């Protein structure tokens, strides 16, 4: 049997932009927690660290889709190059402000400027779409990207915090910024795989968020992001309550690794079920596997339940991005993918906040009720949106061989 991942990387330029893009997306996981680790040590105030990090994350969530919309209109290089350099310079100013004890407003100003960081996961997926449009290999490419996102989240946050604690407070942010510069500039330099802008007067006048499929998938991913964040908060709180706080990293690792492996397996398969139904099945599995989580009482049981709960995360991401690629006009593709990524980020922020409130108010073992509620809300969103997601494709279907209906 031919390795499907070998096929996608045999395409000219694929290895280069995938490797560069992996580095360029590291700030996605490293920067928010790196800001917290840096400022909590340099200023000794967690509220300040959290506020500056939230300023960066929320502003980036608002700006990233607009940046991607501009990319769809004029191309990747004219937008990515200045945005990447500005973000890297702003991160540098933020590190300098923290190290030199500059006025507090400079921390916020630097964080706001750094928020122009482009969504490199969306840029990478746009390149895969340009290479494999209307071909089954695109499903495998999206599966690889979902697994890569998982790997970044697994390693990035831990690396950022570990460097800040073990080396010096700014070390995590420094590593994140270097990854952005090296990976981003290498990605931009590979012009041969850059998608050609295809915006028209009609498509460029509107935003991808006005597209019903984008609204449905982004809303569903808000709830899925909440599940992802609740798993992390719940694992930390419950293992601490059980007297084994060191087990939290193991539990979180099991959760992410399970999703990573299943995502690679799904990407290697040529599933012939329409994508909107695949998404409904994946989210239904999320909902069912979330039900045992509030009832765990030991670390081994928690690890097992979390592993089971995580197996459908990557398939959910794979089918969600596949639907966006099929249902959104080509001239809006990068922005559409970015809105979905933004939805996931918003969900993670909201999920962490709500789960933390539940831990403080009702105890750590009740935190996973947030996962249960979020999973069933995601399922309801996807089920109600089935007719829209199964609508006429914007071009002949090639990702799966049969019609969506």
């Amino acid at each position: 049997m031919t390795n499907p991942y070998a096929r996608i990387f045999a395409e000219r330029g694929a290895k280069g932009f995938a490797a560069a893009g992996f580095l360029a997306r590291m700030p996605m996981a490293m920067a928010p927690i790196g800001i917290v680790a840096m400022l909590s040590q340099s200023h000794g105030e967690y509220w300040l660290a959290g506020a500056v990090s939230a300023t960066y994350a929320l502003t980036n969530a608002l700006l990233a889709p607009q940046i991607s919309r501009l990319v769809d209109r004029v191309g990747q290089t004219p937008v990515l190059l200045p945005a990447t350099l500005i973000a890297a310079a702003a991160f540098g100013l933020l590190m300098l402000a923290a190290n030199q004890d500059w006025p507090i407003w400079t921390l916020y100003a630097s964080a706001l400027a750094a928020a122009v960081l482009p969504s490199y996961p969306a840029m990478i997926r746009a390149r895969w779409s340009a290479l494999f449009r209307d071909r089954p290999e695109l499903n495998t490419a999206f599966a690889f990207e979902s697994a890569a996102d998982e790997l970044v989240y697994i390693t990035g946050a831990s690396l950022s915090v570990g460097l800040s604690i073990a080396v010096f407070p700014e070390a995590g942010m420094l590593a994140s910024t270097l990854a952005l510069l090296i990976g981003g500039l290498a990605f931009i330099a590979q012009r041969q795989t850059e998608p050609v802008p295809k915006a028209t007067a009609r498509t460029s006048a509107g935003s991808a968020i006005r597209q019903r499929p984008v609204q449905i998938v982004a809303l569903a991913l808000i709830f899925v992001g909440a599940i992802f964040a609740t798993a992390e908060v719940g694992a930390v709180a419950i293992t601490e309550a059980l007297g084994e706080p060191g087990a939290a990293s193991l539990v979180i690792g099991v959760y992410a690794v399970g999703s990573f492996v299943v995502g690679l397996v799904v990407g290697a398969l040529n599933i012939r079920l329409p994508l909107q139904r695949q998404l409904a099945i994946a989210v239904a599995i999320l909902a069912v596997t979330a039900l045992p989580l509030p009832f765990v009482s030991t670390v081994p049981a928690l690890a097992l339940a979390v592993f089971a709960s995580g197996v459908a995360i990557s398939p959910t991401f794979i089918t969600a991005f596949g639907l966006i690629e099929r249902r959104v006009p080509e001239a809006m593709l990068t922005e559409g993918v970015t809105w979905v990524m933004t939805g996931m980020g918003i969900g993670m922020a909201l999920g962490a906040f709500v789960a933390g409130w539940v831990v403080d108010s009702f105890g750590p073992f009740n935190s996973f009720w947030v996962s249960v509620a979020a999973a069933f809300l995601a399922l309801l969103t996807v089920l109600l949106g089935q007719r829209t997601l199964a609508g006429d494709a914007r071009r002949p279907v090639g990702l799966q061989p049969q019609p969506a209906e």
Side-chain angles (χ1 to χ4, degrees):
M1 179 180 176
T2 306
N3 182 352
Y5 293 100
R7 289 206 304 272
I8 65 171
F9 285 111
E11 199 76 14
R12 183 180 179 183
K15 292 178 183 176
F17 78 73
F22 184 85
L23 270 182
R25 85 179 95 194
M26 289 301 290
M28 177 175 71
M30 294 183 71
I33 192 65
I35 292 172
V36 172
M38 176 178 69
L39 295 182
S40 63
Q41 293 182 79
S42 64
H43 287 67
E45 296 175 311
Y46 278 93
W47 72 265
L48 175 64
V52 174
S53 179
T55 297
Y56 161 75
L58 293 177
T59 306
N60 182 250
L62 294 174
L63 290 181
Q66 312 312 318
I67 293 170
S68 292
R69 182 182 178 187
L70 186 59
V71 166
D72 282 329
R73 294 179 62 182
V74 304
Q76 290 189 353
T77 298
V79 178
L80 294 186
L81 183 57
T84 298
L85 293 176
I86 291 170
F91 281 135
L93 285 174
L94 180 58
M95 287 183 277
L96 193 59
N99 182 267
Q100 298 298 311
D101 199 23
W102 287 359
I104 296 300
W105 69 264
T106 61
L107 300 175
Y108 288 101
S110 300
L112 284 171
V116 301
L117 177 72
S119 175
Y120 271 97
M123 307 303 158
I124 301 166
R125 285 174 170 89
R127 294 204 180 196
W128 284 123
S129 293
L131 283 178
F132 297 121
R133 183 161 290 120
D134 302 329
R135 292 167 58 184
E137 288 89 346
L138 185 57
N139 191 53
T140 303
F142 279 1
F144 173 80
E145 289 306 317
S146 294
D149 287 341
E150 293 270 1
L151 190 59
V152 166
Y153 277 114
I154 293 170
T155 60
S158 298
L159 179 63
S160 187
V161 173
L163 287 173
S164 294
I165 294 174
V167 186
F168 52 87
E170 299 83 14
M173 284 301 300
L174 179 59
S176 173
T177 305
L178 289 175
L180 171 63
L181 276 174
I182 296 171
L185 294 179
F187 182 86
I188 295 165
Q190 299 177 60
R191 301 294 300 275
Q192 73 276 14
T193 53
E194 180 178 345
V196 177
K198 296 184 179 180
T200 64
R202 179 178 63 83
T203 57
S204 62
S207 170
I209 197 60
R210 296 183 180 181
Q211 301 284 316
R212 289 289 292 164
V214 176
Q215 294 172 0
I216 293 167
V217 175
L219 179 59
L221 266 289
I222 287 176
F223 297 125
V224 174
I227 299 169
F228 198 88
T230 302
E232 297 181 350
V233 173
V236 171
I238 290 175
T239 52
E240 183 176 352
L242 292 173
E244 300 182 54
S249 59
L250 173 63
V251 172
I252 295 171
V254 165
Y255 179 73
V257 168
S259 178
F260 174 78
V261 172
V262 172
L264 289 178
V265 172
V266 170
L269 302 175
N270 184 22
I271 301 174
R272 294 180 175 269
L273 196 66
L275 279 178
Q276 76 277 0
R277 295 181 187 173
Q278 292 185 45
L279 181 61
I281 292 171
V283 177
I285 293 172
L286 278 179
V288 171
T289 54
L291 289 172
L293 290 170
F295 303 102
V296 297
S297 57
T298 65
V299 170
L302 175 63
L304 181 61
V306 162
F307 175 82
S309 177
V311 296
I313 291 287
S314 275
T316 299
F317 291 163
I318 294 165
T319 51
F321 288 119
L323 280 166
I324 294 298
E325 194 277 334
R326 283 231 234 141
R327 299 295 177 244
V328 175
E330 190 175 326
M332 296 180 174
L333 179 59
T334 309
E335 184 193 353
V337 171
T338 304
W339 275 114
V340 174
M341 297 291 298
T342 296
M344 184 176 67
I346 292 172
M348 291 180 67
L350 292 176
F353 173 78
V354 174
W357 174 78
V358 171
V359 168
D360 291 337
S361 303
F362 303 102
F365 292 95
N366 287 309
S367 59
F368 279 117
W369 285 113
V370 178
S371 291
V372 175
F376 278 94
L377 286 171
L379 178 59
L380 179 63
T381 301
V382 171
L383 291 178
L384 291 176
Q386 284 289 290
R387 183 179 295 274
T388 298
L389 295 176
D392 292 336
R394 58 176 169 80
R395 55 178 176 265
V397 174
L399 194 59
Q400 303 292 339
Q402 68 285 358
E405 298 288 1

